[in-house]
Amino acid sequence: MKEKRSRARLSADKRIKEITLIAELIIVKRGFKELTLQEVIAQSSISRGTFFKLIPNKETLITHLGINGINYWLELINKARGFEGLARENLLVLHASQVIASKLNRTIYHSIFMANAELNRLSVTPELNFILDDRINELIQFYNGCIQLGLKDGSFPARNYSFNTEELAYFMWANRYGATVSSINYMPHNNIGDLTEKYKKFVDVQLDFMEWRPLSSELNYSRVLLDIYSKYYRKEISQIKKHDLRDDTPSITGQEF
């Protein structure tokens, strides 16, 4: 019985992969608004009945694309996990991976944020939302690691902001990536009692006033970023240059380098 379930899961994964690839091509050509399940079905090798068992609505398809996007982003981050540097320098790994993910997989990158929209989440099964949440929490933990490293190397002042490091990582992500106060599914330990109050305190403080500016003038961050690109993302950068993809992704710090 277990083997049959495993085979069924593999078969479903294979079909979902086919579906998302077709959806990506449609979006690249005509945009998200023109994406319809009927056209995806017509271009796929999957029967209508089987398709709707896997993808009951467009929101579910968007979430699958979003999961693909965050998975790709995390793969890029994990490639540079061994990078040795200060907490500020390590945050450049996140910036580099964000730029690459957006430029090489623009469609599924934007799907991450569309999938997290409240209306989209309400139309998707809790199980699928949980997968998206789990992946995004991995991204938040990267922040958490940088914060903890910063406390050790002294680049992050050990002041009392009424946050623990996990909460601070959450708010850093929320502030940089457009998450709202209502995104309680990413709050550590489901600690939502004083979420609004803590978020207001965080916004009042702002990163630039926390004496921890990831792209400060203390070090040559342009050189550090180029080192990260050449050491970990040489293949991806060559793909970007080959297709001459323009970088219109905003800096995660709001500063130029």
Side-chain angles (χ1 to χ4, degrees):
M1 186 66 69
K2 186 175 180 180
E3 185 178 350
K4 286 184 178 180
R5 284 200 298 267
S6 297
R7 288 179 181 176
R9 182 67 263 170
L10 286 172
S11 179
D13 289 344
K14 185 176 180 180
R15 286 167 175 162
I16 289 172
K17 184 177 181 179
E18 178 186 346
I19 291 167
T20 53
L21 285 173
I22 292 170
E24 282 182 53
L25 291 174
I26 294 172
I27 295 167
V28 167
K29 290 179 180 178
R30 299 200 298 278
F32 281 97
K33 289 184 179 179
E34 298 300 317
L35 175 67
T36 66
L37 298 187
Q38 300 302 328
E39 184 173 1
V40 178
I41 293 171
Q43 294 187 31
S44 75
S45 62
I46 303 166
S47 70
R48 186 180 180 86
T50 300
F51 183 96
F52 280 108
K53 285 181 181 179
L54 296 170
I55 310 291
N57 51 40
K58 185 175 177 178
E59 291 81 5
T60 297
L61 179 52
I62 294 295
T63 301
H64 277 292
L65 288 169
I67 291 170
N68 288 349
I70 196 70
N71 284 342
Y72 179 72
W73 191 354
L74 288 169
E75 283 178 18
L76 292 171
I77 289 174
N78 287 330
K79 285 182 69 172
R81 282 286 185 185
F83 177 71
E84 295 182 1
L86 297 174
R88 301 174 182 181
E89 294 173 310
N90 269 266
L91 198 58
L92 286 177
V93 171
L94 182 60
H95 176 68
S97 63
Q98 179 206 16
V99 171
I100 292 172
S102 176
K103 292 180 76 171
L104 289 182
N105 289 277
R106 192 177 302 274
T107 297
I108 59 175
Y109 173 81
H110 288 299
S111 297
I112 299 170
F113 310 101
M114 294 179 67
N116 190 47
E118 185 176 359
L119 288 177
N120 200 92
R121 293 182 65 88
L122 290 173
S123 303
V124 175
T125 64
E127 292 78 13
L128 199 58
N129 279 325
F130 175 81
I131 294 173
L132 178 70
D133 297 345
D134 183 64
R135 302 297 190 274
I136 291 179
N137 272 311
E138 285 188 47
L139 183 63
I140 295 173
Q141 287 307 313
F142 184 87
Y143 274 108
N144 193 20
C146 286
I147 293 169
Q148 293 183 0
L149 178 64
L151 290 172
K152 290 179 181 178
D153 66 28
S155 60
F156 190 90
R159 293 182 178 178
N160 181 13
Y161 295 108
S162 302
F163 310 132
N164 59 41
T165 61
E166 280 191 314
E167 290 172 331
L168 190 53
Y170 164 81
F171 289 127
M172 291 174 85
W173 170 78
N175 194 48
R176 294 303 185 190
Y177 293 100
T180 65
V181 176
S182 63
S183 298
I184 59 175
N185 41 297
Y186 303 122
M187 193 62 186
H189 312 304
N190 295 317
N191 179 17
I192 63 174
D194 59 352
L195 178 60
T196 302
E197 181 184 350
K198 286 190 174 184
Y199 187 82
K200 286 180 179 178
K201 287 182 180 179
F202 175 82
V203 172
D204 289 340
V205 173
Q206 292 293 339
L207 290 179
D208 288 345
F209 295 101
M210 297 170 77
E211 297 180 10
W212 191 59
R213 302 180 183 180
L215 296 184
S216 71
S217 59
E218 295 176 22
L219 294 173
N220 186 343
Y221 284 98
S222 295
R223 178 186 56 76
V224 175
L225 185 58
L226 288 174
D227 287 347
I228 292 172
Y229 279 136
S230 61
K231 185 173 182 180
Y232 300 104
Y233 305 128
R234 188 175 300 174
K235 180 181 177 182
E236 287 79 9
I237 294 300
S238 66
Q239 288 179 273
I240 290 172
K241 289 181 178 178
K242 180 179 179 181
H243 297 288
D244 192 27
L245 297 172
R246 184 172 60 89
D247 181 10
D248 56 2
T249 305
S251 166
I252 60 170
T253 62
Q255 301 182 45
E256 298 299 328
F257 58 88

